Amino acid sequence: MPRRSVMFSPGDRPELMRKAPATGADTIVFDLEDAVAPGRKAEARTAVRDVLSDPDFDPDAEVCVRVTGTETYRDLEVIADGGADFDAVMFPKAESADAVEHLGDQLREHDRPVPVIALIETARGVLGAEAIADARPTDAVAFGAEDLSADLGATRTDEGTEVLYAREKTVAAAAAADVDAIDTVYTDFGDETGLAEETRFAATLGYDGKMAIHPSQVSVINEAFTPDGDKIAWAVRVLAARDAAAAEDRGVFEVDGEMIDAPLIAQAERVREYARLAGEWDDQQDE
């Protein structure tokens, strides 16, 4: 399932966690890290456990828990051992493959061998991006520009040139490891135009989705990662031509005067996947 929008919900706010699926986000993240004050961590663990163990809480979205960076063992003791049902874990400030593997070992010990979304948001994390993405438990890498900037001592700018290298390295590492790449948050949740522009830019870099900090951002992000009608029509033609060529045992074919190779077929399949998620692809188009 594609992760176009990955929205955070504070772990100590059960009323917001219960409302999170209604935002339309592909992935909802119940946050025990940045969104929770140090003195409320224990309360947040209990709240997350209670929501995720409630049989009436049955969202269509992927449900992820962002564990704390320093007390993961305690997070899992309360949540995993407490009967909570979750689909993935987000690991903050991932800096090495060993750290991700260790988290994977902990999850298996608690009988919760779920995928890990590794957050690359420190200088060490950027330098280790390839190994982090390649780690066995990793199913996605997410880029955190705000924490990275603080770690670097960089000044955040509207252009984002101070984090562009790290942003590109993260998505390249994800592509090389064949895992999802999720772009950084856009902190001004009142600026829909700026969010849409930055999300489209992230898509051109190769990102699969973007993190959100407010429900109002979800629809903007989803729309930016949803193919438009022209792109869907192109994908339909490419995939139909591919099937026709395969039936005739032809390895080479063209669409709209363009020779189609494996990367373009993969792009068409990606368009189909995202269009299906948005309800914009009719299965009859595959016939």
Side-chain angles (χ1 to χ4, degrees):
M1 178 177 177
R3 300 178 173 108
R4 298 170 301 173
S5 50
V6 177
M7 196 195 77
F8 291 93
S9 186
D12 59 348
R13 299 286 301 278
E15 74 282 6
L16 296 182
M17 288 189 283
R18 291 183 183 277
K19 292 178 181 178
T23 64
D26 294 336
T27 299
I28 52 177
V29 182
F30 293 166
D31 192 7
L32 296 175
E33 182 73 349
D34 290 348
V36 179
R40 293 175 63 89
K41 299 292 186 185
E43 178 183 343
R45 292 183 186 104
T46 301
V48 170
R49 180 200 63 197
D50 290 349
V51 171
L52 293 183
S53 59
D54 182 351
D56 292 331
F57 184 77
D58 186 24
D60 293 330
E62 177 184 44
V63 177
C64 178
V65 176
R66 176 157 72 162
V67 294
T68 59
T70 56
E71 296 185 320
T72 304
Y73 68 96
R74 189 164 296 165
D75 302 334
L76 296 179
E77 282 178 350
V78 175
I79 297 170
D81 293 350
D85 185 17
F86 52 95
D87 304 307
V89 163
M90 181 175 283
F91 184 32
K93 294 182 172 61
E95 294 188 335
S96 69
D98 286 345
V100 179
E101 294 285 359
H102 179 61
L103 175 57
D105 290 341
Q106 288 182 294
L107 289 166
R108 285 189 292 275
E109 288 171 5
H110 289 274
D111 198 27
R112 290 290 194 279
V114 298
V116 172
I117 300 174
L119 259 169
I120 294 177
E121 50 186 346
T122 65
R124 285 190 179 277
V126 172
L127 295 178
E130 295 95 330
I132 292 167
D134 265 329
R136 181 178 52 179
T138 302
D139 194 57
V141 290
F143 174 58
E146 305 307 318
D147 281 290
L148 175 63
S149 295
D151 194 40
L152 295 174
T155 300
R156 289 291 276 130
T157 65
D158 291 340
E159 295 77 17
T161 52
E162 69 282 355
V163 295
L164 183 57
Y165 163 75
R167 200 177 186 187
E168 291 178 329
K169 184 170 183 181
T170 298
V171 75
D178 194 25
V179 299
D180 288 343
I182 303 166
D183 191 42
T184 190
V185 299
Y186 189 77
T187 57
D188 186 355
F189 58 81
D191 180 11
E192 289 191 4
T193 300
L195 172 62
E197 291 175 354
E198 182 169 285
T199 307
R200 286 193 292 267
F201 177 67
T204 67
L205 291 178
Y207 277 91
D208 301 288
K210 190 171 183 65
M211 294 183 285
I213 57 172
H214 192 274
S216 65
Q217 295 182 316
V218 170
S219 62
V220 178
I221 292 172
N222 283 349
E223 182 177 354
F225 279 106
T226 298
D228 61 24
D230 290 342
K231 199 69 174 177
I232 293 173
W234 170 83
V236 170
R237 293 195 295 273
V238 168
L239 296 178
R242 175 204 61 187
D243 294 343
E248 297 172 4
D249 200 25
R250 290 186 289 111
V252 178
F253 60 95
E254 61 89 19
V255 172
D256 302 335
E258 179 182 24
M259 297 305 299
I260 303 298
D261 57 7
L264 288 176
I265 293 173
Q267 184 179 345
E269 290 172 339
R270 177 187 171 99
V271 169
R272 177 177 62 185
E273 183 179 25
Y274 274 67
R276 273 183 173 156
L277 183 66
E280 299 292 334
W281 187 280
D282 186 340
D283 285 341
Q284 292 180 351
Q285 291 170 308
D286 288 323
E287 297 178 359

